[in-house]
């Protein structure tokens, strides 16, 4: 057999072995998520960190009955009964309404569908992203971590935006890597489609888009074709435009997409918090809204609250800076807390708490190839920065957790390799003593 033929066979065997491992990881991820879906069942209840699923269930049912995006009763944050709302994701509400239209009013059907989608796509996307910067072994470990990461399993089967938003982020990064490697109109179109869908799921992704496009320009330099980037922006704009028009029609007020930025910024930075974001006992977020503003519709109120929130920052920049700094405690919390439920403590420690040391070590290792990892760095910094400056919390950090998983994979493989080399070295020295 020629050396060339031998190399081809070795490569084929390696690919087959990798495919088998990846398939097993996908099966494991899917089974864990299906089990969690069945455990949460066919009802929608308030669970730790998942109150929004009650809202999305209510919105989906109203859409199905022809009432549009509204509620039958007064609803969070300050929406009157039977009045239009734009506070929550239109796309996820439509997804849930679509599932209910096909399978009946069964939340379990939506949970199972999300479990199947995320069980397949999350390990696969983590593998592909990691493979861009590391070897197959690291990529498989990253896919495996994503498969068993408790937060991902838990939030995958809740009726909220987390599942699809994390998948959109990972797919966007993968498509950006692919586009830089081989710029083409098709690649630009797919990147725009994924980013557009991600923005409709959670509008904060819009703030990352300029950084992603800037990274593409920096990577391609003289090879960049501005038409490709314009196509990405055009596709994103086409996703947003119908909802901007809808909002203007129902509110008679300009709202690009969702009416949540003003509410969040006002509440998160209100002087009542001082320098630590925690409401005083006996108060509520709604109590903080000035009486004179409560007659405004949702869109007008969102704008008014944003102006007040910016005023808080302007009046007390030092307090705001300390408040942002103190928000990091809650945002990156990895230890159990007596204020949290058992399931929250298990999820927190068994996912972020367990893998954070590996993520940090992997980040340090990656600095040797910092240019290859620049896009993930940008997402981590930008997305964390957005929430530390506005509204922080563990569930808002989860997309960053997903982008950190490849770094954890890098650390695990490196540490295992070090242990093996040390063990082999010790065994060799022992053999030398015996033979000497």
């Amino acid at each position: 057999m020629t050396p060339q033929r031998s190399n081809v066979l070795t490569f084929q065997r390696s690919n087959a072995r990798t495919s088998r491992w990846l398939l097993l990881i996908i099966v494991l991820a899917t089974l864990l998520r299906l089990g969690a879906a069945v455990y949460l069942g066919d009802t929608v209840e308030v669970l730790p960190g998942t109150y929004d699923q009650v809202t999305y269930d209510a919105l989906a049912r109203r859409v199905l009955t022809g009432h549009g995006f509204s509620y039958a009763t007064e609803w969070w944050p300050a929406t009157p009964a039977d009045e239009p709302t734009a506070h929550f994701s239109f796309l996820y509400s439509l997804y849930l309404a679509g599932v209910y239209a096909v399978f009946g009013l069964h939340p379990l059907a939506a949970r199972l569908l999300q479990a199947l989608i995320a069980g397949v796509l999350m390990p696969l996307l983590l593998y592909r992203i990691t493979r861009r910067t590391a070897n197959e072994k690291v990529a498989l470990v990253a896919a495996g971590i994503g498969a068993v990461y408790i937060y991902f399993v838990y939030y995958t089967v809740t009726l909220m935006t987390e599942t699809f938003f994390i998948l959109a982020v990972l797919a966007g990064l993968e498509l950006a890597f692919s586009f830089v490697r081989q710029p083409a109109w098709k690649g630009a179109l797919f990147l725009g489609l994924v980013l557009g869908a991600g923005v409709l799921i959670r509008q904060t992704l819009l703030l990352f888009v300029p950084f992603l496009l800037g990274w593409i320009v920096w990577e391609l330099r003289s090879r960049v074709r501005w038409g490709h980037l314009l196509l990405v922006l055009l596709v994103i704009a086409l996703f947003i435009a119908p909802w901007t028009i809808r909002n203007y029609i129902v509110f008679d007020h300009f709202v690009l997409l969702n009416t949540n930025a003003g509410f969040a910024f006002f509440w998160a930075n209100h002087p009542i918090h001082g320098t630590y974001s925690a409401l005083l006992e006996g108060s509520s977020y709604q109590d903080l809204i000035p009486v004179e503003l409560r007659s405004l519709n949702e869109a007008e109120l969102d704008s008014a609250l944003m102006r007040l929130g910016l005023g808080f920052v302007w009046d007390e920049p030092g307090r705001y800076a300390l408040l942002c700094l103190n928000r990091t405690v809650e945002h990156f919390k990895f230890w159990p807390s007596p204020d949290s439920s058992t399931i929250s403590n298990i999820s927190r420690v068994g996912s972020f708490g367990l893998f954070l040391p590996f993520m940090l070590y992997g980040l340090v290792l990656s600095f040797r190839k910092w240019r290859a990892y620049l896009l993930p760095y940008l997402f981590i910094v930008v997305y964390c920065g957005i929430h530390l400056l506005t509204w922080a919390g563990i569930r808002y950090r989860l997309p960053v957790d997903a982008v950190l998983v490849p770094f954890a994979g890098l650390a695990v493989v490196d540490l295992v390799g070090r242990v093996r080399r040390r063990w082999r070295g010790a065994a060799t020295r022992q053999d030398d003593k015996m033979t000497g």
Side-chain angles (χ1 to χ4, degrees):
M1 182 181 296
T2 65
Q4 184 177 6
R5 176 63 175 168
S6 176
N7 289 337
V8 169
L9 290 175
T10 301
F11 178 75
Q12 290 175 340
R13 284 195 293 268
S14 175
N15 280 348
R17 186 165 54 250
T18 297
S19 298
R20 285 196 296 270
W21 275 109
L22 187 57
L23 179 60
L24 288 173
I25 291 169
I26 288 173
V27 170
L28 173 62
T30 303
L31 290 176
L32 288 174
R33 285 154 177 77
L34 288 173
V38 172
Y39 178 78
L40 291 187
D42 204 26
T43 59
V44 180
E45 300 176 356
V46 179
L47 298 171
T50 66
Y51 185 84
D52 282 359
Q53 69 174 345
V54 177
T55 291
Y56 281 113
D57 177 71
L59 275 174
R61 292 168 187 263
R62 291 284 285 181
V63 169
L64 275 182
T65 54
H67 293 89
F69 296 93
S70 64
Y71 307 102
T73 60
E74 185 177 354
W75 207 269
W76 167 275
T79 305
D82 295 314
E83 291 294 321
T85 182
H87 196 79
F88 294 90
S89 169
F90 294 111
L91 186 58
Y92 187 78
S93 301
L94 290 175
Y95 155 78
L96 195 55
V99 173
Y100 287 173
V102 174
F103 299 101
L105 299 177
H106 294 293
L108 179 58
R111 300 187 200 280
L112 292 172
L113 183 56
Q114 289 174 198
L116 289 171
I117 293 171
V120 173
L121 290 184
M122 179 168 284
L124 184 60
L125 287 169
L126 285 171
Y127 172 84
R128 290 179 63 87
I129 289 173
T130 309
R131 193 65 185 87
R132 297 285 183 182
T133 55
N135 59 39
E136 289 183 353
K137 186 180 296 184
V138 176
L140 286 173
V141 172
I145 292 172
V148 301
Y149 200 80
I150 297 178
Y151 269 144
F152 296 158
V153 176
Y154 177 56
Y155 277 100
T156 288
V157 296
T158 59
L159 305 184
M160 303 195 304
T161 58
E162 268 65 26
T163 297
F164 294 127
F165 184 70
I166 291 173
L167 292 178
V169 168
L170 294 176
L173 297 181
E174 161 60 17
L175 287 170
F177 277 124
S178 179
F179 178 78
V180 164
R181 184 176 181 179
Q182 190 174 359
W185 290 104
K186 183 178 179 180
L189 175 62
F190 284 140
L191 181 58
L193 290 172
V194 167
L195 292 177
V199 167
L200 288 192
I201 296 170
R202 194 175 290 175
Q203 66 178 356
T204 48
L205 187 60
L206 264 178
L207 299 175
F208 176 66
V209 169
F211 293 92
L212 185 147
L213 296 181
W215 173 81
I216 290 175
V217 172
W218 186 76
E219 282 289 327
L220 294 178
R221 293 182 176 82
S222 61
R223 295 187 297 124
V224 67
R225 295 182 63 177
W226 297 104
H228 289 159
L229 303 187
L230 288 176
L231 178 59
V232 174
L233 293 174
L234 176 62
V235 173
I236 295 173
L238 290 175
F239 271 80
I240 297 173
W243 303 106
T244 306
I245 295 170
R246 176 264 181 190
N247 289 338
Y248 191 81
I249 291 172
V250 300
F251 294 121
D252 194 26
H253 189 86
F254 175 79
V255 178
L256 183 65
L257 193 53
N258 297 121
T259 55
N260 49 35
F263 285 94
F265 197 80
F266 168 81
W267 281 327
N269 299 294
H270 195 283
I272 195 172
H273 298 305
T275 58
Y276 189 80
S277 186
L279 280 176
L280 299 177
E281 186 177 352
S283 63
S284 70
Y285 290 119
Q286 284 83 355
D287 292 337
L288 301 180
I289 299 176
V291 176
E292 63 271 18
L293 299 181
R294 296 184 184 183
S295 61
L296 299 176
N297 67 38
E298 186 180 275
E300 294 168 338
L301 181 56
D302 184 62
S303 297
L305 292 178
M306 177 59 81
R307 289 192 293 271
L308 286 176
L310 292 172
F312 299 153
V313 175
W314 180 261
D315 293 338
E316 299 180 287
R319 181 190 68 84
Y320 173 67
L322 289 174
L323 183 59
C324 292
L325 183 63
N326 287 329
R327 271 197 278 259
T328 59
V329 175
E330 186 64 28
H331 199 65
F332 295 104
K333 193 172 185 177
F334 61 86
W335 55 90
S337 168
D339 299 327
S340 300
S341 65
T342 301
I343 191 171
S344 293
N345 284 326
I346 292 174
S347 299
R348 186 183 310 131
V349 177
S351 53
F352 194 56
L354 177 62
F355 289 104
L356 179 60
F358 298 100
M359 293 170 175
L360 294 175
Y361 180 51
L363 281 170
V364 173
L365 292 175
S366 71
F367 292 156
R368 294 175 297 187
K369 298 170 58 179
W370 66 270
R371 178 169 173 171
Y373 290 96
L374 184 56
L375 184 58
Y377 293 162
L378 280 174
F379 180 80
I380 293 166
V381 172
V382 171
Y383 205 72
C384 284
I386 291 170
H387 288 286
L388 292 178
L389 292 173
T390 55
W391 185 293
I394 291 172
R395 59 175 281 223
Y396 301 113
R397 195 203 62 232
L398 293 184
V400 173
D401 287 16
V403 177
L404 283 169
V405 164
F407 296 98
L410 185 66
V412 169
V413 172
D414 178 82
L415 290 171
V416 170
R418 289 175 183 271
V419 170
R420 283 181 175 177
R421 287 191 295 272
R422 181 167 294 184
W423 180 82
R424 287 170 182 170
T428 300
R429 288 192 293 272
Q430 182 67 25
D431 289 343
D432 290 342
K433 289 180 180 178
M434 293 177 65
T435 58

